């Protein structure tokens, strides 16, 4: 199923994210996804997230699909040139994996193989454009595809609380031009900033899913504030996490904060995308508390 | 060594809006310039009466001589809607920075050739990528100023305006966006998506 069909029907679309392991046994994440994420629309599978080498996104998507879930294939331009990207897109379509989230990808220097040569032959915008071309039965070399062309639900990301939000909006517009049909955002902790962002972003007429990263403790929040682009966890939230350590540890505080952000932003967006970073078991609780 | 080649005629024609001031950099022995073709094209423009002035020089990329050279043509440059530069990527970047917010356009693509390179000031770098993108980025090279050589805008990694790869380096797309805003050229974000041609084999490119 293409996730765009759900947006078209006016549903508030819920997705969550799973990160494949560094190894060949993925029974654990498949079982967890089945148990906790079966009720939501689709499950994103990250592509060597943070430039850390892991089992492939496409293979994991296929395993999730076989288990009855709807995967969203995250595809970055970091490790593949235009030939490999197009080839992997065709492979995904062959498996019936039609939801693709196009990303530029983190730089190789940030991951566990900083010695690697980064590729970036294409970027998120040209990758979306490439998908649009393949859908018309043509590849980037101008050659015709054989047989029926693939059809994708083309997703992209944007960072609404970035300190360079105008620069981000310019890129968002380009992604729309290139064929992006919906957006997932970087984690939001400041609903006012998100709402202000949506005021401008709504002109593009594409559904936007609010990004949520579940907070596990005060240290994690402070770390993200220092190191992660486009994220600012306000002091009150950090204080709340630091206040009752037991509640933070059990996940209660993080779940409550996530639900509050969703409630505040829900009227302004078309869905939510939850990045639980290993705490996938908490996703149903967040949704319940947020009234979804 | 490097080689510059005129962009195709249609592309150059799309840069012509109103009056132009022309800068030719024909003097650097490390670079092969398409001198005859450039002159022929500029003659056509002169006949049409759209040229406010021409500066033909060497080492346009040298920021020490540049102010003096451009100063002599100040009125002609002011009278022009755009400055069209026939040089390698470094020359265009140097002139763009100096003349901002004046619109400065690259008329050449830059290709690598084996051998030594010209005197290029450190802050303006050109990778001789074969399809010069400076006309879409306000004269700041996205290939060398962005750690990922992105040509369509900023990635999600810039924090406080700095690059995700090197917190000491300003994000190249912050600089490009600022320059585009300053020169009233933010409309380039609305130009159709075009995939960068990284082939630097001239014969392949000419087919
Ligand atoms: S875009 Fe940059 S690397 Fe490419 S030719 Fe122009 S100045 Fe050189
Ligand atoms: S932060 Fe800026 S300079 Fe660095 S890779 Fe991203 S867009 Fe390029």
């Amino acid at each position: 199923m293409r996730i765009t069909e759900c947006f078209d029907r006016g549903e508030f679309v819920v997705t969550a994210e799973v990160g494949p392991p560094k190894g060949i046994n993925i029974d654990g994440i498949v079982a967890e996804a089945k148990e906790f994420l079966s009720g939501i629309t689709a499950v994103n599978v990250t592509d060597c997230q943070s430039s850390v080498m892991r089992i492939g996104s496409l293979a994991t998507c296929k395993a999730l699909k076989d288990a009855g879930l709807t995967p969203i294939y995250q595809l970055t331009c970091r490790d593949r040139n235009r030939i490999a990207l197009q080839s992997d897109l065709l492979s995904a379509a062959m498996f019936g994996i039609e939801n693709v989230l196009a990303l530029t990808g983190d730089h190789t220097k940030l991951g566990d193989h900083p010695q690697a040569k980064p590729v970036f032959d294409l970027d998120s915008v040209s990758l979306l454009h490439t998908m649009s071309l393949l859908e018309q039965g043509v590849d980037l070399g101008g050659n015709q595809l054989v047989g029926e062309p693939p059809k994708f639900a083309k997703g992209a990301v944007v960072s609404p609380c970035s300190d360079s939000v105008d620069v981000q909006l310019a890129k968002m517009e380009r992604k729309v031009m290139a064929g992006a049909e919906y957006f997932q955002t970087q984690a939001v902790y400041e609903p006012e900033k998100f709402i202000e962002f949506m005021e401008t972003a709504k002109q593009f007429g594409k559904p936007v899913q609010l990004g949520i990263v579940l907070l596990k403790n005060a240290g994690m929040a402070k770390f993200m504030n220092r190191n992660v682009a486009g994220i600012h966890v306000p002091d009150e939230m950090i204080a709340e996490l630091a206040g009752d350590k037991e509640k933070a540890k059990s996940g209660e505080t993080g779940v409550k904060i996530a639900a509050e952000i969703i409630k505040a932003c829900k009227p302004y967006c078309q869905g939510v995308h939850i990045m639980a970073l290993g705490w996938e078991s908490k996703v149903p609780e967040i949704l319940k508390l947020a009234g979804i | 060594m490097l080689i510059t080649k005129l962009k195709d005629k249609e592309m150059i024609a799309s840069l012509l809006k109103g009056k132009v001031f022309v800068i030719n950099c024909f003097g650097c022995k490390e670079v092969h310039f398409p001198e005859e073709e450039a002159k022929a094209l500029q003659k056509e423009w002169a006949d049409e009466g759209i040229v406010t002035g021409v500066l033909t020089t060497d080492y346009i990329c040298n920021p020490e001589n540049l102010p003096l050279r451009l100063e002599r043509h100040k009125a002609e440059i002011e009278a022009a809607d755009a400055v069209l530069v026939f040089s390698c990527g470094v020359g265009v970047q140097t002139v763009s920075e100096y003349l901002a917010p004046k619109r400065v356009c690259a008329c050449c693509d830059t290709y690598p050739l084996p051998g030594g390179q010209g005197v290029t000031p450190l802050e303006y770098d050109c990778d001789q990528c074969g399809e010069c993108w400076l006309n879409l980025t306000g004269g700041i090279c996205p290939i060398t100023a962005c750690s990922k050589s992105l040509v369509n805008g900023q990635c999600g990694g810039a924090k406080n305006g700095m690059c995700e790869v090197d917190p000491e380096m300003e994000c190249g797309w912050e600089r490009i966006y600022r320059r585009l805003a300053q020169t009233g050229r933010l409309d380039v974000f609305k130009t159709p998506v075009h995939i960068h041609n990284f082939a630097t084999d001239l014969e392949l490119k000419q087919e």
Side-chain angles (χ1 to χ4, degrees), chain B residues 47-101:
Chain B
D47 293 344
E48 287 169 35
I50 59 169
V51 180
T52 64
V54 180
L55 164 64
T56 297
T57 175
D58 58 4
Y59 294 102
I60 191 76
C61 57
N62 184 340
E64 277 168 26
N65 305 339
L66 189 70
L68 203 70
R69 289 170 170 175
L70 291 178
E71 208 52 40
R72 289 195 204 117
H73 296 272
K74 203 169 166 216
E76 294 163 14
I77 292 170
E78 263 168 26
D81 299 291
V83 174
L84 300 196
V85 184
F86 292 74
S87 78
C88 76
V90 176
V92 185
Q93 291 180 62
T94 318
V95 175
S96 296
E97 166 99 35
Y98 186 74
L99 289 181

Side-chain angles (χ1 to χ4, degrees), chain B residues 79-145:
Chain B
D81 299 291
V83 174
L84 300 196
V85 184
F86 292 74
S87 78
C88 76
V90 176
V92 185
Q93 291 180 62
T94 318
V95 175
S96 296
E97 166 99 35
Y98 186 74
L99 289 181
K102 185 65 125 195
R103 183 164 175 198
V104 175
C105 304
C107 293
C108 299
D109 287 323
T110 307
Y111 298 84
L113 269 189
Q117 295 199 359
V119 209
T120 52
L122 274 182
E123 61 266 47
Y124 310 108
D125 205 358
C126 168
D127 246 5
Q128 300 138 33
C129 74
E131 186 175 20
C132 193
W133 218 261
L134 292 175
N135 293 331
L136 295 171
T137 50
I140 296 172
C141 169
I143 306 296
T144 55

Side-chain angles (χ1 to χ4, degrees), chain A residues 82 104-107 110 120-121 123 125-126 129 163-164 166-168 171 173-174 177 225-226 228-229 231, chain B residues 147-148 150-161 164-165 174 177 188-193 195-196 198:
Chain A
R82 61 189 77 185
T104 296
D106 293 325
H107 199 279
L110 308 185
F120 303 115
D121 180 26
D123 57 25
V125 172
S126 42
H129 176 81
D163 31 49
S164 319
D166 291 342
V167 194
Q168 286 288 315
K171 179 102 174 230
E173 178 169 14
R174 251 183 120 52
M177 279 190 56
N225 281 355
R226 272 197 312 275
V228 183
I231 290 191
Chain B
S147 301
K148 298 176 191 166
L150 303 180
V151 296
N152 283 298
Q154 187 177 56
C155 78
K159 192 159 178 79
N160 302 320
E164 72 170 27
V165 183
E174 290 282 331
Y177 187 89
V188 295
F189 283 105
K190 297 186 202 295
T191 51
V193 178
I195 310 277
H196 193 288
F198 281 108

Side-chain angles (χ1 to χ4, degrees), chain A residues 36 50 69 100 110 128 137 151 160 177 182 185 220 223 225 262 277 287 290:
Chain A
F36 302 112
S50 310
L69 293 132
V100 182
L110 308 185
L128 288 160
K151 178 83 189 96
M177 279 190 56
Y182 70 96
T185 78
M220 170 190 173
F223 176 85
N225 281 355
I262 297 173
L277 309 178
L287 296 172

